[in-house]
């Protein structure tokens, strides 16, 4: 059996990669994928602690997080399509004219 520390290190690395993508990229698609990486890092933690404790609570929460991520992708793709339709670009910094 793999020690849970390895899963935690993997989760921290995936979360840091996602955080780097959110903070440095201006492309909306890359931004959305980076948020998905961060959610997957949380799922890795939930499952790792669930296995360590011997119950299924973390795995059930992980399933709910996956459903939340699917809904988030659907809304995000819709926003990206509107962004591209209005500005012919998916750069998140060009959408400042969508404010009031």
């Amino acid at each position: 059996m793999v020690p849970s520390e390895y899963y935690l290190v993997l989760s921290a690395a995936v979360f840091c990669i996602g955080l780097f993508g959110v903070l440095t990229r201006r492309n909306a698609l890359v931004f959305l994928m980076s948020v998905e990486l961060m959610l997957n890092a949380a799922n890795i933690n939930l499952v790792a602690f669930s296995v360590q404790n011997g119950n299924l609570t973390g795995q059930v929460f992980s399933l709910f997080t996956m459903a939340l991520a699917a809904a988030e992708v659907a809304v995000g793709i819709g926003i990206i399509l509107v962004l591209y339709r209005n500005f012919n670009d998916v750069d998140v910094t060009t959408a400042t004219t969508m404010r009031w």
Side-chain angles (χ1 to χ4, degrees), residues 21-22 24-31 90-93:
V22 165
T24 60
R25 304 293 182 198
R26 295 189 296 180
N27 188 340
L29 289 173
V30 175
F31 186 84
V90 289
D91 188 6
V92 292
T93 59

Side-chain angles (χ1 to χ4, degrees), residues 15-34:
F15 188 84
C16 288
I17 291 170
L19 185 65
F20 178 77
V22 165
L23 294 177
T24 60
R25 304 293 182 198
R26 295 189 296 180
N27 188 340
L29 289 173
V30 175
F31 186 84
L32 191 62
M33 287 190 296
S34 298

